[in-house]
Amino acid sequence: MALLLENRFAQLPNTNEVTTKEFLESVSHLPRFFDCLGSKVFAPIKADINGNITKIRAVYDSDPAKYETLQKILEVEKGIYGSEWPKAGATLALMWLKRGLRFIQILLQSLADGERDENNPNLIRVNITKAYDQALKRYHGWIVQKVFKAALLAAPYRSDFLKALSKGQEVTEEDCLANIRQFLVNFTATVDAIYEMYTVMNAELDYTV
């Protein structure tokens, strides 16, 4: 769990606004999460997350004061892109990034809640399937869904996944799950705040890829 706890997300202020700099610093470490899933089949999701982070960072770096929070990015880009918004710029990149973050959040929460296949308790296919179905499936066409099914078959054992998250350290499963729960507190709040922001600003799109 060192991978997660070393890069915990900051607690949100009462306004629930997400500071862009802190968000980018924390989220930039998350693509390595997919390395813990073992199979190269998850590489496209990792690459997608990396690409979206890069796009958001480029916008932020162009004017850190103007784009101080994620909400300001959406507000400014709405004025810049007009009718093309929200399917443009960092707004679109963040829309897809938040879905990848939701996938991670649901997967980890499912593990922390003890959900498992009673017939195969050391597999995490149940957890990954739940995360995919709730966070990503509706936005993917049948070709991408078939790729995911292949990735599911290559998913690691539960014990191997938890060990990978701990960077190979010998940590008990109970301690691993406790660390996951600790990480999820601010991470879940951040992801929820981003989703709420897209709803309030009517920036959510429902097309498939």
Side-chain angles (χ1 to χ4, degrees):
M1 236 52 54
L3 173 63
L4 300 177
L5 292 185
E6 287 174 1
N7 307 289
R8 274 181 286 184
F9 282 64
Q11 184 175 351
L12 296 181
N14 292 334
T15 59
N16 263 5
E17 288 195 67
V18 182
T19 302
T20 308
K21 183 179 180 181
E22 290 183 349
F23 173 75
L24 288 171
E25 287 174 352
S26 296
V27 82
S28 64
H29 299 281
L30 284 182
R32 285 183 291 166
F33 172 88
F34 291 94
D35 296 333
C36 297
L37 291 172
S39 172
K40 292 182 179 179
V41 184
F42 290 96
I45 300 178
K46 177 183 176 180
D48 186 61
I49 288 178
N50 263 326
N52 288 321
I53 292 171
T54 298
K55 291 173 185 175
I56 298 166
R57 188 183 300 279
V59 170
Y60 171 72
D61 287 344
S62 70
D63 194 333
K66 182 190 291 186
Y67 300 113
E68 181 183 6
T69 66
L70 297 183
Q71 183 174 352
K72 287 185 177 179
I73 289 178
L74 267 64
E75 290 171 347
V76 172
E77 288 198 338
K78 185 175 184 179
I80 293 174
Y81 290 106
S83 62
E84 293 181 15
W85 188 88
K87 200 174 183 178
T91 301
L92 181 62
L94 181 59
M95 185 187 72
W96 282 102
L97 176 59
K98 70 178 174 56
R99 294 168 182 170
L101 300 183
R102 181 68 89 194
F103 172 86
I104 294 173
Q105 182 246 319
I106 295 172
L107 170 54
L108 291 176
Q109 189 66 61
S110 179
L111 287 167
D113 290 344
E115 296 175 351
R116 63 176 73 198
D117 181 348
E118 295 303 326
N119 295 321
N120 298 285
N122 198 31
L123 296 180
I124 59 172
R125 293 176 188 170
V126 166
N127 315 97
I128 295 176
T129 299
K130 179 179 181 179
Y132 180 75
D133 285 352
Q134 293 188 16
L136 295 171
K137 185 176 181 179
R138 64 181 292 188
Y139 307 111
H140 289 166
W142 70 272
I143 294 177
V144 179
Q145 289 184 28
K146 286 184 68 175
V147 171
F148 169 75
K149 287 182 180 180
L152 189 60
L153 295 174
Y157 287 114
R158 176 189 178 94
S159 54
D160 291 340
F161 175 66
L162 294 177
K163 186 173 183 179
L165 281 180
S166 302
K167 292 186 175 180
Q169 299 173 8
E170 292 298 332
V171 183
T172 66
E173 179 173 319
E174 184 178 334
D175 287 342
C176 284
L177 295 178
N179 288 335
I180 285 177
R181 294 185 190 101
Q182 189 177 347
F183 169 79
L184 280 170
V185 174
N186 290 342
F187 180 62
T188 301
T190 300
V191 176
D192 286 348
I194 296 172
Y195 268 81
E196 177 65 17
M197 177 179 69
Y198 270 74
T199 298
V200 170
M201 295 191 65
N202 197 28
E204 190 64 71
L205 297 173
D206 207 19
Y207 67 95
T208 59
V209 294

